[in-house]
């Protein structure tokens, strides 16, 4: 999606456009968690895969017929809109045919995104895979209640993501804050905020209302990070945003494999103390990632991502 948005999203509309598209993942989680519980309860667990697989096929058909790579190849776009998009990106894109791999791999702003992305995903994947278990074993919910309540944190994240994207671009368009200031503030809110409420959730005992409220706040504030480090690839190198996302997402998938395994190993007896340890680790990693991005993140197109040495600053 980053590769496509690099050709479609005007610089001052990136936050709102990308958050709208990527928020679909959160909305999908909101729908799938309770729906999966209902399907398992009334039908069978295998139907979860059949139904969601069929929806995926339908989505692909619509995508294949309705989506174009660039404004130039889109059949339904108006000439005015096409000209606006192309002109807004003319000083940000490179015409180079070769990829500056050395410059990319030695770019500190890119590695600041890698660290932030890795750190954020540690908490995200841990909660995504183990939150239903936490609610079932610690907060004592049955499968139907568990599905609906497990979805609340992601509903909060979707809501914050949508609001944060609109607000970020409003501040940038009206020159209230620069791009990098917005990216860093949103990253701090989206990573430090969740860390604080995640740790607090570990001290609620079996008070499920308070636990769900704190976990919802934690996940909701995480939505701010989508307008922070998550789309910073497009700020520093729009021509290579797809490649940069591939690099950062490669590292960011490691927590999806390692995080839940470590969390599961730490909660062998499913005690509150064990879950507190899981939350401590996730919070510490989150804060570290935020601090690293605050120190080394950039909000301008890097010289190696453009023709010549023209540096377009925002």
């Amino acid at each position: 999606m980053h590769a496509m948005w690099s050709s479609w999203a005007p610089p001052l509309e990136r936050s709102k456009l990308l958050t709208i598209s990527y928020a679909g993942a959160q909305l999908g989680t909101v729908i799938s968690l309770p729906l999966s519980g209902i399907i398992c309860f009334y039908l069978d667990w295998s139907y979860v895969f059949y139904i969601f697989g069929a929806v995926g096929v339908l989505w692909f058909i619509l995508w294949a017929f309705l989506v174009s790579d660039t404004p130039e190849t889109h059949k339904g776009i108006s000439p005015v809109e096409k000209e606006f998009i192309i002109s807004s990106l003319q000083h940000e894109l490179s015409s180079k045919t070769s990829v500056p791999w050395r410059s990319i791999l030695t770019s500190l702003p890119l590695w600041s995104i890698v660290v932030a992305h890795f750190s954020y995903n540690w908490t995200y994947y841990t909660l995504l895979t183990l939150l239903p278990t936490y609610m079932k074993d610690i907060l004592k919910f049955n499968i139907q209640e568990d599905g609906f309540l497990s979805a609340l944190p992601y509903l909060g994240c979707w809501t914050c993501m949508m609001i944060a994207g609109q607000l970020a671009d409003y501040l940038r368009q009206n020159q209230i804050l620069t791009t990098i200031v917005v990216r860093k503030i949103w990253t701090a809110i989206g990573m430090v905020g969740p860390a604080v409420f995640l740790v607090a959730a570990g001290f609620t005992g079996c008070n499920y209302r308070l636990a769900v409220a704190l976990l919802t706040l934690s996940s909701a504030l995480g939505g701010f990070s989508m307008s922070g480090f998550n789309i910073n690839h497009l700020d520093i190198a729009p021509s290579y945003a797809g490649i940069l996302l591939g690099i950062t997402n490669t590292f960011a998938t490691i927590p999806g494999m390692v995080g839940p395994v470590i969390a599961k190993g730490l909660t062998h007896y499913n005690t509150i103390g064990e879950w507190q340890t899981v939350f401590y680790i996730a919070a510490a990693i989150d804060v570290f990632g935020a601090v690293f991005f605050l120190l080394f993140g950039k909000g301008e197109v890097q010289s190696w991502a453009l023709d010549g040495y023209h540096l377009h600053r925002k």
Side-chain angles (χ1 to χ4, degrees), residues 104-116 247 251 292 296:
I104 288 175
L105 296 177
T106 57
S107 172
L108 189 55
L110 170 62
W111 286 105
S112 72
I113 303 175
V114 170
V115 173
I247 294 172
F251 286 94
F292 197 92
F296 303 111

Side-chain angles (χ1 to χ4, degrees), residues 2-314:
H2 270 46
M4 177 167 288
W5 278 123
S6 68
S7 298
W8 277 96
L12 294 178
E13 295 182 23
R14 285 173 180 155
S15 303
K16 65 177 72 174
L17 292 175
L18 268 75
T19 51
I20 290 173
S21 62
Y22 283 109
Q26 305 298 327
L27 187 60
T29 304
V30 170
I31 296 173
S32 63
L33 279 175
L35 185 58
S36 295
I38 294 173
I39 293 172
C40 289
F41 187 83
Y42 287 104
L43 297 174
D44 181 73
W45 65 266
S46 61
Y47 282 90
V48 174
F49 295 92
Y50 297 144
I51 293 173
F52 290 163
V55 172
V57 172
L58 177 62
W59 166 85
F60 171 74
I61 294 173
L62 293 174
W63 175 276
F65 283 98
L66 299 178
V67 175
S68 297
D69 289 340
T70 64
E72 291 92 336
T73 59
H74 195 281
K75 297 179 180 179
I77 191 172
S78 69
V80 174
E81 183 180 9
K82 180 168 68 175
E83 177 59 29
F84 170 71
I85 295 173
I86 295 174
S87 62
S88 69
L89 295 171
Q90 63 181 346
H91 296 304
E92 298 220 342
L93 299 178
S94 172
S95 60
K96 297 176 183 176
T97 56
S98 60
V99 178
W101 285 109
R102 183 174 181 177
S103 297
I104 288 175
L105 296 177
T106 57
S107 172
L108 189 55
L110 170 62
W111 286 105
S112 72
I113 303 175
V114 170
V115 173
H117 202 169
F118 176 96
S119 303
Y120 177 84
N121 273 19
W122 186 285
T123 299
Y124 177 78
Y125 282 123
T126 298
L127 289 181
L128 181 65
T129 56
L130 296 180
L131 186 58
T133 301
Y134 175 76
M135 289 186 165
K136 178 178 179 292
D137 294 340
I138 302 298
L139 304 181
K140 308 300 181 184
F141 290 120
N142 65 43
I143 190 170
Q144 286 178 293
E145 292 174 320
D146 187 28
F148 286 105
L149 289 170
S150 295
L152 284 180
Y154 301 99
L155 178 60
C157 185
W158 176 80
T159 303
C160 267
M161 192 181 292
M162 299 293 287
I163 295 173
Q166 299 291 324
L167 181 58
D169 280 348
Y170 172 82
L171 294 172
R172 295 167 65 232
Q173 288 171 353
N174 290 277
Q175 299 183 341
I176 299 173
L177 294 174
T178 62
T179 294
I180 188 54
V181 172
V182 169
R183 298 291 183 243
K184 290 186 175 182
I185 291 176
W186 264 231
T187 296
I189 296 174
M191 296 184 73
V192 178
V196 171
F197 286 108
L198 187 61
V199 171
F203 290 90
T204 59
C206 295
N207 185 337
Y208 75 89
R209 289 186 178 87
L210 182 57
V212 171
L214 291 174
L215 289 171
T216 298
L217 284 172
S218 177
S219 184
L221 289 176
F224 275 82
S225 67
M226 180 52 68
S227 296
F229 74 86
N230 258 304
I231 63 174
N232 193 227
H233 316 69
L234 285 162
D235 297 324
I236 65 173
S239 294
Y240 309 105
I243 294 174
L244 267 56
L245 179 63
I247 294 172
T248 65
N249 213 28
T250 297
F251 286 94
T253 56
I254 295 174
M257 299 179 284
V258 178
V261 174
I262 293 177
K264 195 68 175 178
L266 292 172
T267 55
H268 184 71
Y269 297 103
N270 272 320
T271 64
I272 294 176
E274 290 176 336
W275 279 99
Q276 288 175 345
T277 301
V278 172
F279 293 158
Y280 282 143
I281 293 173
I285 293 174
D286 243 356
V287 172
F288 172 76
V291 171
F292 197 92
F293 183 80
L294 291 178
L295 291 174
F296 303 111
K298 298 292 183 182
E300 57 198 23
V301 181
Q302 300 299 289
S303 58
W304 49 263
L306 288 169
D307 294 322
Y309 294 96
H310 173 74
L311 188 62
H312 182 76
R313 297 184 178 274
K314 303 189 285 297

